[in-house]
Amino acid sequence: LPLGERLSRRIVDGERHGLEGDLDEAIASGRTALEIINDSLLAGMKVVGELFGRGEMQLPFVLTSAEVMKTAVAHLEPHIEKTDDEGRGTIVLATVKGDVHDIGKNLVDIILTNNGYTVVNLGIKQPVSEILRAAGEHRADAVGMSGLLVKSTVVMRENLEEMNSRGVAADLPVLLGGAALTRAYVEGDLAEIYRGEVRYARDAFEGLRLMDAIMQ
Ligand code: B1M
């Protein structure tokens, strides 16, 4: 198999043996770390999601694929382009209550951190109380919530309502991302509810663009 397809295949098969060698070869061939992540690794994760969704892959194998994905991203991280800027702003980032998916959130962390933002990454299954506590403690310029489950879209709405009732919305722009969300839901329905700014980020790069806009 060509190298790109081999890397996708490694994610689907959860095959870690020889992974680092293939990643080094891809870098040496002139592909950037982000191209490798976007074109090969995420393509593999997409197949995993489709197989799982069709009942053709069992959960433990999905978990193994996710672990190989994380190993690959960690191996590539030193190669990801970095700006010299620092202190461009602070964002508190979390996967919402009830949701364990964190690969996308951690990519957002890497992209923002490498572009000069301070990211307070709280991890997974975070209740809104914890997110707001951290936002206060770190004087965050924005809050980013990730969630991949359909029920996480409901949790996000409840979180925004809680932020309204605590009176913090006007000062706390919110970025939302994750596979179960749509732009129409976030920038239509949720924007109507939230008494501050709430925006949808399709991917980590849109998260960066939105953060840049917030800080302007
Ligand atoms: Co789960 N899972 N999973 N899973 N899983 C999905 C989400 C699912 C769509 C699979 C499917 O059925 N086809 C489905 C959800 C269905 C639904 O809600 N309607 C599902 C399910 C059902 C479940 C369980 C309930 C299964 C079970 O237990 N029976 C369970 C949930 C547990 C829980 O959360 N309470 C579960 C568990 C798991 C694993 C633990 C095995 C593993 C996660 C491991 C981990 O993250 N550490 C896992 C995985 C890997 C997936 C799929 C296959 C892949 C997700 C992924 O990492 N994608 C997923 C299928 C899919 O998404 N279609 C699936 C790659 C990642 C880079 O993409 O996170 O979307 P993503 O991030 C993108 C953008 O969305 C965006 O940027 C990234 C790209 O640049 N983005 C942001 C994300 N967050 C952002 C935040 C931002 C900005 C952009 O700003 C704040």
Side-chain angles (χ1 to χ4, degrees), residues 37-38 41-42 44-55 57-67 69-70 73 91-109 111-112 124-125 143-152 156 174-181 199-208 210:
I37 292 174
N38 284 328
L41 303 179
L42 288 184
M45 277 317 275
K46 189 162 176 272
V47 174
V48 171
E50 287 162 3
L51 290 172
F52 180 63
R54 291 202 300 265
M57 188 172 187
Q58 299 301 311
L59 199 61
F61 296 97
V62 180
L63 190 56
T64 307
S65 292
E67 277 160 9
M69 174 80 196
K70 285 187 169 194
V73 172
I91 181 168
V92 166
L93 197 59
T95 300
V96 298
K97 188 180 73 180
D99 197 322
V100 304
H101 298 88
D102 66 354
I103 294 174
K105 167 185 69 63
N106 292 341
L107 276 177
V108 174
D109 181 350
I111 300 296
L112 289 177
I124 59 172
K125 298 204 260 182
V143 157
M145 296 189 250
S146 179
L148 267 68
L149 302 171
V150 169
K151 75 172 187 203
S152 298
M156 287 175 184
V174 175
L175 300 186
L176 299 179
L181 291 169
R199 301 293 300 274
Y200 170 69
R202 189 175 53 89
D203 56 30
F205 300 101
E206 191 170 9
L208 173 62
L210 291 173

